[in-house]
Amino acid sequence: MSVSDLKKVKDSGVVFGSVKSRTSEREFREVRSRLETLTPDQMNVLINGDLISQKQIAFLAVCKHYNFIRDFTIEVLRDKTLVFDFRINESDFNSFIDRRINVHPELETFSDSTLKKGKQVMFRILEQSGIINNSVDKMIQPQIVQPDVVRAVVKEDPIWLKIFLMSDMDIKQVIY
């Protein structure tokens, strides 16, 4: 699917028809920037795969586009699942932010409301992707990565399987 194909979908009004033009443009740019991170094989799974595969590829696109969500998923969620701790606590998010401040000092300038909104959006994405059960309980859900998703991800770089909470040993088994 090319950018012109995406533009045709947008202009048709099927996807973005019920929102204001300005919002439509912003949302279209957002969707396009995520989709542009996908390889042709990953895009094929997104278009032709079942719903679970589509969600997994959409989450891959989010993680490729947003380092913050990718890092939180790998450094917090994956690490918790590897020790069989499936509950996300407020302290997990706060500790992650504290560690990120060393790398991104601009986070210190964010207001509490900005951080709260960012956290809400991130947890909504995690919920819609099936990574957590919901944005209230925040229980990490075990992931069964679809075979077509595994193939499309491994073809690019197996390291991306970490966003699906896979252990290093499981990733090595997939590769060989």
Side-chain angles (χ1 to χ4, degrees), residues 75-102:
E75 294 174 23
V76 177
L77 305 184
R78 179 176 179 260
D79 286 355
K80 287 178 79 70
T81 60
L82 293 177
V83 296
F84 303 103
D85 178 4
F86 297 98
R87 179 170 299 285
I88 305 168
N89 302 307
E90 191 71 26
S91 60
D92 296 321
F93 181 79
N94 294 338
S95 295
F96 177 74
I97 291 294
D98 290 344
R99 289 190 308 272
R100 291 282 113 193
I101 286 175
N102 295 331

Side-chain angles (χ1 to χ4, degrees), residues 151-168:
R151 281 189 296 277
V153 170
V154 166
K155 200 169 182 182
E156 178 188 14
D157 188 348
I159 201 81
W160 283 110
L161 292 173
K162 288 183 177 188
I163 67 164
F164 301 111
L165 316 178
M166 289 179 74
S167 70
D168 292 339

Side-chain angles (χ1 to χ4, degrees), residues 28-157:
F28 175 70
R29 279 192 311 274
E30 183 66 28
V31 169
R32 185 182 68 210
S33 64
R34 292 177 190 178
L35 293 177
E36 287 172 343
T37 68
L38 298 176
T39 66
D41 289 329
Q42 294 162 359
M43 187 67 96
N44 184 48
V45 173
L46 182 66
I47 294 167
N48 299 309
D50 63 17
L51 181 61
I52 295 170
S53 295
Q54 290 172 336
K55 283 184 174 187
Q56 290 174 341
I57 291 293
F59 184 63
L60 173 67
V62 165
C63 288
K64 286 173 134 185
H65 188 66
Y66 298 108
N67 295 338
F68 185 86
I69 295 174
R70 178 202 62 215
D71 293 346
F72 183 81
T73 301
I74 293 171
E75 294 174 23
V76 177
L77 305 184
R78 179 176 179 260
D79 286 355
K80 287 178 79 70
T81 60
L82 293 177
V83 296
F84 303 103
D85 178 4
F86 297 98
R87 179 170 299 285
I88 305 168
N89 302 307
E90 191 71 26
S91 60
D92 296 321
F93 181 79
N94 294 338
S95 295
F96 177 74
I97 291 294
D98 290 344
R99 289 190 308 272
R100 291 282 113 193
I101 286 175
N102 295 331
V103 179
H104 298 284
E106 67 274 8
L107 284 171
E108 284 187 299
T109 65
F110 288 11
S111 69
D112 288 343
S113 62
T114 300
L115 283 174
K116 182 179 178 183
K117 181 66 176 174
K119 180 171 67 170
Q120 287 173 338
V121 169
M122 181 179 67
F123 282 119
R124 194 173 323 118
I125 289 170
L126 292 170
E127 177 184 357
Q128 291 171 348
S129 302
I131 303 294
I132 63 173
N133 64 336
N134 61 58
S135 55
V136 175
D137 296 335
K138 297 180 184 87
M139 293 295 293
I140 303 167
Q141 302 298 293
Q143 300 296 300
I144 300 173
V145 187
Q146 300 294 90
D148 55 347
V149 173
V150 171
R151 281 189 296 277
V153 170
V154 166
K155 200 169 182 182
E156 178 188 14
D157 188 348

